[in-house]
């Protein structure tokens, strides 16, 4: 299943069920407010089929949401001045950042955790990739 968001805004969760790869590709300064929910996904062999979910944010896209992965592999690319505003705890297999931001959005009920089970990659200008955490010391 594939979803492309280009030069537009989209609000709503994307829920994947069954044995399928779910791919979201965005660009053109688009915005997406919603979660990627793979709890019903039954794709069982990421080595053969690839990740159950793949989100690619390009060209100034802003995604405000979280990954609900249900134990399934999810790859996330945040590139070209794009931003992921993470609204709750999320688990991804691989996270790639290129000239982009990841913001931990404050939670009224505690804190959020980002778990990367595979690789965290960053390229481009070392100062152009930022992970912004909300902390109270």
């Amino acid at each position: 299943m594939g979803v492309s968001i280009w030069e537009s805004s989209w609000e709503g969760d994307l829920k994947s069920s069954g044995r399928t790869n779910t791919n979201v590709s965005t660009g053109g300064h688009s915005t997406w407010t919603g979660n990627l929910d793979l709890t019903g996904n039954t794709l069982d062999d990421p080595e053969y089929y690839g990740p159950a979910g793949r989100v690619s944010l390009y060209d100034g896209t802003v995604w405000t949401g979280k990954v609900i992965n249900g134990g399934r592999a999810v790859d996330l690319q945040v590139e070209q001045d794009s931003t992921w505003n993470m609204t709750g705890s999320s688990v991804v297999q691989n996270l790639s950042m290129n000239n982009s931001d990841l913001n931990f959005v404050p939670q009224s009920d505690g804190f959020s955790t980002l778990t990367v089970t595979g690789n965290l990659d960053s390229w481009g200008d070392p100062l152009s990739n930022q992970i912004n955490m909300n902390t109270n010391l």
Side-chain angles (χ1 to χ4, degrees):
M1 173 175 57
V3 175
S4 292
I5 305 166
W6 195 262
E7 296 180 348
S8 61
S9 296
W10 178 41
E11 291 188 24
D13 294 345
L14 177 60
K15 185 169 178 66
S16 170
S17 60
R19 199 165 188 244
T20 184
N21 297 86
T22 302
N23 297 303
V24 179
S25 181
T26 65
H29 300 277
S30 296
T31 60
W32 172 29
T33 303
N35 302 316
L36 176 62
D37 184 350
L38 299 177
T39 53
N41 190 291
T42 58
L43 192 67
D44 56 1
D45 189 356
E47 291 293 322
Y48 181 75
Y49 295 107
R54 178 173 286 125
V55 177
S56 302
L57 308 177
Y58 298 109
D59 193 25
T61 293
V62 176
W63 175 32
T64 302
K66 63 184 177 181
V67 175
I68 306 166
N69 74 344
R72 302 296 179 214
V74 176
D75 287 350
L76 180 60
Q77 294 174 289
V78 187
E79 301 187 13
Q80 302 166 342
D81 297 320
S82 294
T83 302
W84 177 23
N85 295 314
M86 192 179 77
T87 60
S89 293
S90 298
V91 177
V92 298
Q93 177 175 308
N94 297 303
L95 173 60
S96 300
M97 297 180 65
N98 180 12
N99 298 325
S100 56
D101 294 325
L102 165 57
N103 300 315
F104 283 65
V105 174
Q107 302 299 306
S108 61
D109 60 347
F111 60 91
S112 296
T113 302
L114 173 62
T115 303
V116 179
T117 61
N119 297 313
L120 172 60
D121 295 321
S122 173
W123 64 92
D125 179 354
L127 299 177
S128 68
N129 295 311
Q130 296 187 19
I131 297 176
N132 303 302
M133 298 181 186
N134 250 330
T135 58
N136 289 323
L137 301 176

